[in-house]
Amino acid sequence: MSVELKIPVIGESVTEVTLSSWLKKDGDYVAEGEAVCEIESDKASMELPAPSAGVLKIMAEAGSELKIGAKIGELDTAAAKPAAAAKTEAPAAAPKAEAAAPAATASSGKEVNYPSPAARKILDEKGVSADDVKGSGKDGRITKDDAVNASAPAPAAKAAAPAAAPTATRAPTVPGARATRPEKMTRLRKTIASKLVEAKNTTAMLTTFNEVDMFELMALRKRYKDAFTKKHGVGLGFMSLFTKAVTVALKDWPAVNAQINGDEILYHDYADIGIAVSTPRGLVVPVVRNAESLSLAEIEKEILALATKARDGKITIEEMQGGTFSITNGGVFGSMLSTPILNLPQSAILGMHNIIERPVAINGQVVIRPMMYLALSYDHRIIDGRESVSFLKQVKELLEDPSRLLLDV
């Protein structure tokens, strides 16, 4: 008896995916629930588990673009599970043979650093040995991202010319290499590109700026971060404080939390905040639901869980849909100032930046303060200048006097 392997329904709007790589080889015996391949949609990547135990028959090549429901393989469930290979000991007369054996994981017996098919192809093109790459996947498997980031080893130095040939001359130095390496865009990257162009072309996007004195916020965080971590089991970061300030301001300026829906403006009485996360596959925006009703600790835990899933490629489409407002932090990469692009269909996005000590005037005195520039990009079709500027000013005031977040004033 055989069981078909098909591309599953991933999300309401997803009609096609890319079969990124096979994690098992044709003819391998796989256990029920064991991941057999990686598939990538326009929103996220995921591993496809085996619905039953059996011997795998591969029927679609890695890199193929497939419709939802497409058959990619079969599992022969009648095949018997192969017996574990008996371990053989090296003969005493050849103690050095052990060193030549491939390294193996203690739990599975599989070779460490074995590449996926897609990773193998990239490594072969680069001329990089799998032995020189540390795998980040399950059981030490080398993933596609590992292969993309791998560098070819430096060429070994040539042996010195023999003394009998003193007239030999060194080859002329070759200028810097100018090689190019074409690489197919991932489905996620193509979707990101399309969405960004759509946002630029279909909205009346404008950006307003302000700056926030981070002194009080940083002092508050320093004062309570150890007690916070001890009680809640999660660190107190700036993102939860910014998220809370945003949710308070959105209540007073509901247009910033609204969306255009045909000929109507759709207002939300809740705040689902998208938090931009950079991953090896591109930028994704998981959503913290009902952030307005969460405590700082609950926001921190949710952000940590979603960010971890996003970076591990485990984030689901449902966890990235339905946001009403987004926050992106370019400051973690050293950005001083930027104009973030709207995350459609949302109408506004807040950009955080790096914190720099600068001289500022306070009560007639020049003092050094940790300052951050804030940028609010918004759709001018439904958000007027008064609303956007007032919203950003309120966020600034809440962050500069964080006690207001606790007192709701």
Side-chain angles (χ1 to χ4, degrees), residues 123 126-129 132-133 150-156:
L123 292 177
K126 288 185 171 184
V128 178
S129 171
D132 297 325
V133 181
S151 300

Short mmCIF file of all heavy atoms in Angstrom, two decimals, residues 123 126-129 132-133 150-156:
data_model
loop_
_atom_site.label_atom_id
_atom_site.label_comp_id
_atom_site.label_asym_id
_atom_site.label_seq_id
_atom_site.Cartn_x
_atom_site.Cartn_y
_atom_site.Cartn_z
N LEU A 123 27.01 24.08 -2.86
CA LEU A 123 28.38 23.80 -2.43
C LEU A 123 29.23 23.34 -3.61
O LEU A 123 30.40 23.73 -3.75
CB LEU A 123 28.38 22.76 -1.32
CG LEU A 123 27.79 23.19 0.03
CD1 LEU A 123 27.81 22.02 1.01
CD2 LEU A 123 28.55 24.37 0.60
N LYS A 126 30.18 26.21 -5.73
CA LYS A 126 31.21 27.05 -5.09
C LYS A 126 32.54 26.34 -4.94
O LYS A 126 33.56 26.97 -4.67
CB LYS A 126 30.74 27.47 -3.70
CG LYS A 126 29.62 28.50 -3.69
CD LYS A 126 29.35 28.91 -2.25
CE LYS A 126 28.41 30.09 -2.17
NZ LYS A 126 28.23 30.56 -0.77
N GLY A 127 32.54 25.01 -5.09
CA GLY A 127 33.75 24.25 -4.87
C GLY A 127 34.09 24.13 -3.40
O GLY A 127 35.26 24.05 -3.02
N VAL A 128 33.05 24.11 -2.54
CA VAL A 128 33.24 24.03 -1.10
C VAL A 128 32.90 22.62 -0.63
O VAL A 128 31.86 22.06 -0.99
CB VAL A 128 32.35 25.05 -0.36
CG1 VAL A 128 32.53 24.93 1.15
CG2 VAL A 128 32.68 26.46 -0.81
N SER A 129 33.77 22.04 0.18
CA SER A 129 33.52 20.71 0.72
C SER A 129 32.55 20.80 1.88
O SER A 129 32.61 21.73 2.70
CB SER A 129 34.83 20.08 1.20
OG SER A 129 34.58 18.89 1.92
N ASP A 132 33.84 21.37 5.36
CA ASP A 132 34.27 22.70 5.79
C ASP A 132 33.11 23.58 6.22
O ASP A 132 33.29 24.76 6.50
CB ASP A 132 35.05 23.39 4.67
CG ASP A 132 36.32 22.64 4.31
OD1 ASP A 132 36.93 22.06 5.23
OD2 ASP A 132 36.69 22.63 3.11
N VAL A 133 31.89 23.02 6.24
CA VAL A 133 30.70 23.81 6.56
C VAL A 133 30.03 23.22 7.80
O VAL A 133 29.83 22.01 7.89
CB VAL A 133 29.69 23.82 5.39
CG1 VAL A 133 28.47 24.67 5.73
CG2 VAL A 133 30.37 24.34 4.12
N ALA A 150 28.36 29.92 2.93
CA ALA A 150 29.67 29.29 3.02
C ALA A 150 30.65 29.96 2.07
O ALA A 150 30.29 30.44 1.00
CB ALA A 150 29.55 27.80 2.70
N SER A 151 31.90 30.00 2.46
CA SER A 151 32.96 30.58 1.63
C SER A 151 33.92 29.49 1.21
O SER A 151 34.23 28.57 1.97
CB SER A 151 33.71 31.67 2.41
OG SER A 151 32.84 32.69 2.80
N ALA A 152 34.40 29.63 -0.02
CA ALA A 152 35.38 28.67 -0.51
C ALA A 152 36.68 28.82 0.27
O ALA A 152 37.08 29.94 0.60
CB ALA A 152 35.63 28.88 -2.01
N PRO A 153 37.35 27.72 0.62
CA PRO A 153 38.60 27.82 1.37
C PRO A 153 39.68 28.50 0.55
O PRO A 153 39.69 28.42 -0.68
CB PRO A 153 38.94 26.35 1.66
CG PRO A 153 38.25 25.58 0.58
CD PRO A 153 36.99 26.34 0.29
N ALA A 154 40.56 29.18 1.26
CA ALA A 154 41.66 29.85 0.57
C ALA A 154 42.55 28.80 -0.08
O ALA A 154 42.81 27.74 0.48
CB ALA A 154 42.46 30.68 1.56
N PRO A 155 43.02 29.04 -1.31
CA PRO A 155 43.87 28.06 -1.98
C PRO A 155 45.16 27.84 -1.21
O PRO A 155 45.72 28.76 -0.63
CB PRO A 155 44.12 28.72 -3.35
CG PRO A 155 43.87 30.17 -3.13
CD PRO A 155 42.81 30.26 -2.09
N ALA A 156 45.62 26.60 -1.19
CA ALA A 156 46.85 26.28 -0.49
C ALA A 156 48.04 26.96 -1.15
O ALA A 156 48.09 27.13 -2.38
CB ALA A 156 47.07 24.76 -0.49
#
